Amino acid sequence: MSNAAAPAIRHYLQFADFSADDYAHLFARAALIKKKFKTYEKHQPLTDRTLAMIFEKASTRTRVSFEAGMYQMGGSVVHLTTGDSQLGRAEPIEDSAKVISRMVDLVMIRTFEQAKIEAFAAHSRVPVINGLTNEFHPCQILADIFTFIEHRGSIKGKTVAWVGDGNNMANTWLQAAEILGFTVHVSTPTGYEVDQAVAGVRSSSSYKVFKDPMEACRGADLVTTDVWTSMGYEAENEARRQAFADWCVDQDMMRIAQPDALFMHCLPAHRGEEVQADVIDGPQSVVWDEAENRMHVQKALMEYLLLGKL
Ligand code: CP
Ligand code: NVA
């Protein structure tokens, strides 16, 4: 178990917490871990380690991928939600961090404000992983880029078209572009633009803003989108439905992209809203690989945070 004399810990709170070298290691390691999983070869470097997962928002993929992944690596998990823990009864996040991190080796949190996960991490004795905040979703982009590499090779120099909300996924794509050397074409409705300060990117050189989503898709190597209304913003649902009506990825957008362009969506998806069924269920879509790869990249991430480069 973790103790007070542990070496300096690293957290994964946003994509920019890691360098291009860290990512090169993680992608190589995830490929190895995936191969072992596919051939039923045991990979259990985290025997007797425990992961606490704290969910303040709903989840399917994040929960299953972290939970199954941790068991596969020989460890175990504790699952907490706001409703069934003292977090929902106003115990300070700092106190929760001090207590939970004395009993487990690693913590994954899905919550609202990024400030909340940062406060937890500041008082944690063990590494903390962002499993989605209002601002970022780094584990998802880790899986998405790993998926791109599997299908098309390096993402360096490529163009990713983001069609939709300037949300946690968009912000994380911008951070990834700056670190890994690709370009994001961003098209959002008015009022839902990305905010460079919130996204935490140093300059605007790795992204371009387009009013017209078709223009954002022109020549793109990857077209990607997300729900119109993210978790926590449900009160804006009706206004967003109207504002986002033209930001639906369809066959015309895929046709204007590169002939071998991929389509990605972090899921859950709403067919007929942000994407047409014939795109997400069509031949250019790699959404099921993306979902599966969450588990493989997160196994590499957990191993890296706890054991370093193996
Ligand atoms: N993509 C993703 O994070 O899915 P869940 O909300 O189901 O975890
Ligand atoms: N932007 C979405 C992603 C869900 C995985 C949300 O935050 O709800």
Side-chain angles (χ1 to χ4, degrees), residues 40-279:
Y40 298 98
E41 191 184 332
K42 275 193 199 305
H43 180 75
Q44 303 199 316
L46 301 186
T47 301
D48 296 334
R49 305 291 182 114
T50 306
L51 165 73
M53 304 189 297
I54 302 172
F55 285 97
E56 299 211 279
K57 292 176 177 172
S59 168
T60 297
R61 280 144 288 272
T62 303
R63 177 168 180 188
V64 177
S65 55
F66 270 106
E67 189 159 339
M70 193 57 180
Y71 282 125
Q72 288 162 19
M73 289 200 294
S76 57
V77 300
V78 176
H79 177 251
L80 293 166
T81 68
T82 313
D84 65 15
S85 70
Q86 301 291 2
L87 285 161
R89 297 180 64 252
E91 180 165 16
I93 195 86
E94 295 80 2
D95 293 3
S96 303
K98 286 176 190 166
V99 171
I100 294 167
S101 71
R102 280 182 179 232
M103 302 182 203
V104 303
D105 302 277
L106 191 58
V107 178
M108 188 287 304
I109 307 181
R110 167 167 287 195
T111 188
F112 293 86
E113 298 80 18
Q114 183 73 8
K116 215 167 168 185
I117 197 170
E118 281 170 6
F120 191 104
H123 293 88
S124 173
R125 287 184 172 190
V126 302
V128 176
I129 298 171
N130 183 343
L132 182 146
T133 56
N134 290 350
E135 290 85 351
F136 300 115
H137 197 2
C139 293
Q140 183 67 53
I141 303 301
L142 189 60
D144 293 359
I145 295 174
F146 179 70
T147 305
F148 186 90
I149 294 167
E150 280 190 322
H151 285 269
R152 297 284 183 265
S154 172
I155 198 164
K156 198 176 172 120
K158 303 287 186 185
T159 299
V160 174
W162 176 263
V163 177
D165 194 13
N167 64 9
N168 44 11
M169 284 289 297
N171 290 339
T172 313
W173 272 115
L174 294 195
Q175 288 200 348
E178 197 158 71
I179 293 159
L180 299 179
F182 60 93
T183 303
V184 185
H185 287 182
V186 184
S187 180
T188 69
T190 302
Y192 299 94
E193 295 87 353
V194 286
D195 178 330
Q196 194 175 306
V198 174
V201 292
R202 286 190 299 275
S203 79
S204 56
S205 60
S206 54
Y207 71 97
K208 288 184 195 146
V209 174
F210 294 81
K211 186 68 235 156
D212 180 354
M214 281 290 280
E215 287 311 311
C217 294
R218 189 183 291 281
D221 300 286
L222 165 64
V223 177
T224 185
T225 186
D226 189 9
V227 290
W228 289 343
T229 305
S230 286
M231 292 181 280
Y233 297 84
E234 289 80 3
E236 300 173 14
N237 212 9
E238 206 34 59
R240 284 171 173 265
R241 263 177 199 286
Q242 288 171 28
F244 282 78
D246 293 334
W247 278 261
C248 172
V249 177
D250 59 16
Q251 288 292 1
D252 289 342
M253 291 187 194
M254 294 308 296
R255 264 193 290 273
I256 207 169
Q258 291 291 340
D260 68 344
L262 298 174
F263 172 77
M264 290 192 190
H265 189 310
C266 64
L267 306 175
H270 298 88
R271 289 167 177 77
E273 292 189 10
E274 74 274 8
V275 60
Q276 293 297 3
D278 59 0
V279 171

